[in-house]
Amino acid sequence: MSRRPTTHELEALIAAHAAELAALKAENEKLAQRVLHLEEQLRLERLRRYAPKSETLKERIFNEAEQAAAESRDDDDVEAVAVPDTGLREAPKPAPKTRGRKPLPDDLPRQRVEHDLGEDQKDCPCCRNRMHRMGETVTEQLHVEVKASVLQHVRFKYASRLCDRTALNTPIVTAPMPAQPLPGSVATPS
C-alpha cells in the first residue's frame, strides 16, 4: 500500500518548487536585461557606423545633461534675456562642398577641336549597320601660349538605330582622344 505524503512533506515540496520557480524567474529577468543591454549596444554601434555624422540627428542618443537643463528651464520660469543688437552681420553659411575639379572660367576663349571616328569605324560591330551620331563628350583643357585659352576636345558618340530597337544592349562607340602627356590633367603639352 502506498503511503500518502504528509502535509509537512507537501508544504516542503511546494516550498522547494516555489524557490526553484523564483530562481528561474530571477535568471529569466537577468537574461532579459542582458538581451536589452546587447540590443542597445547593437543599436548604438549601428548608429555610430551608418548614421550621418552631423550633430543634428533626428533621433539622437539620450543625453541626461540636456534633459536636466530642460527640466531646470521649466522649473525656473525665468524669462529669456534679450541679446542686444551689435550691428554685425550674421556669419555667412559655408558653401556646400562640391566634388571633383572646378570648371575652367567662362571668360576664357574656347577653341573646339573635334575628334571623329573614321568612316570604316562607323559600322555597328554587332549588326554591321551604319551608326548615327547620338551625342558627344566634351573635355576641357587649359591651353597656354601667349594668351590662355581653353581647348574643348569634342569626341562624338555613335550607336546603331537597329541595335537600339532590337538588341538587348546597344554598343556605343566614342571617338578616341589623342594621347595626353599628363592623363587626367587639364594641361596641354604647351
Side-chain angles (χ1 to χ4, degrees), residues 59-70:
E59 183 181 330
R60 293 178 37 184
I61 299 172
F62 180 69
N63 188 345
E64 293 88 2
E66 289 178 357
Q67 183 183 14

Side-chain angles (χ1 to χ4, degrees), residues 39-135:
E39 285 176 346
E40 180 67 16
Q41 282 184 333
L42 178 65
R43 187 183 71 75
L44 288 174
E45 184 59 33
R46 284 182 179 159
L47 214 110
R48 188 175 308 123
R49 180 175 289 173
Y50 300 114
K53 303 297 185 243
S54 172
E55 292 182 12
T56 59
L57 296 175
K58 289 190 168 101
E59 183 181 330
R60 293 178 37 184
I61 299 172
F62 180 69
N63 188 345
E64 293 88 2
E66 289 178 357
Q67 183 183 14
E71 287 174 1
S72 68
R73 271 187 253 130
D74 293 342
D75 295 342
D76 294 343
D77 292 333
V78 177
E79 292 184 22
V81 177
V83 178
D85 184 20
T86 59
L88 297 175
R89 295 180 295 149
E90 287 189 28
K93 293 186 178 181
K97 292 183 180 180
T98 56
R99 298 183 65 116
R101 183 178 287 133
K102 294 178 184 173
L104 295 171
D106 290 332
D107 60 337
L108 289 176
R110 286 180 160 57
Q111 296 174 358
R112 187 173 168 102
V113 179
E114 296 181 350
H115 305 282
D116 202 355
L117 293 174
E119 290 299 319
D120 58 330
Q121 295 176 324
K122 292 183 181 178
D123 293 332
C124 178
C126 177
C127 67
R128 302 289 176 217
N129 282 340
R130 194 74 172 161
M131 294 191 293
H132 71 284
R133 186 185 308 170
M134 59 170 279

